[in-house]
Amino acid sequence: MLDAFIIEEIKRQEEERRREQERPTIPLPLDDDDLGPPARQGGDEGESERGVVIIDYSI
């Protein structure tokens, strides 16, 4: 006979699987061409726009 803990764990896993199957999903329309930054227009080829964004959460 199985221990009560094992039986409860099996029930929990089965319930989790049921919830995962019932969860609706939305397909994302991703095109390979849409990935990455847009191409630069004009300017020097040697220069590149680079920068850093600093977010201060200490407030």
Side-chain angles (χ1 to χ4, degrees), residues 21-37:
Q21 290 174 354
E22 292 173 0
R23 187 176 304 161
T25 58
I26 300 174
L28 298 176
L30 295 177
D31 294 334
D32 290 339
D33 298 338
D34 292 341
L35 301 177

Side-chain angles (χ1 to χ4, degrees), residues 3-54:
D3 189 27
F5 171 76
I6 295 173
I7 295 171
E8 290 300 317
E9 187 66 21
I10 292 170
K11 287 180 184 178
R12 184 190 63 79
Q13 289 176 358
E14 288 176 355
E15 181 65 28
E16 188 175 308
R17 282 190 204 118
R18 273 191 229 115
R19 275 189 260 129
E20 185 69 31
Q21 290 174 354
E22 292 173 0
R23 187 176 304 161
T25 58
I26 300 174
L28 298 176
L30 295 177
D31 294 334
D32 290 339
D33 298 338
D34 292 341
L35 301 177
R40 288 184 49 181
Q41 300 281 332
D44 294 332
E45 300 248 345
E47 291 183 27
S48 63
E49 292 183 26
R50 300 183 76 178
V52 176
V53 176
I54 300 174

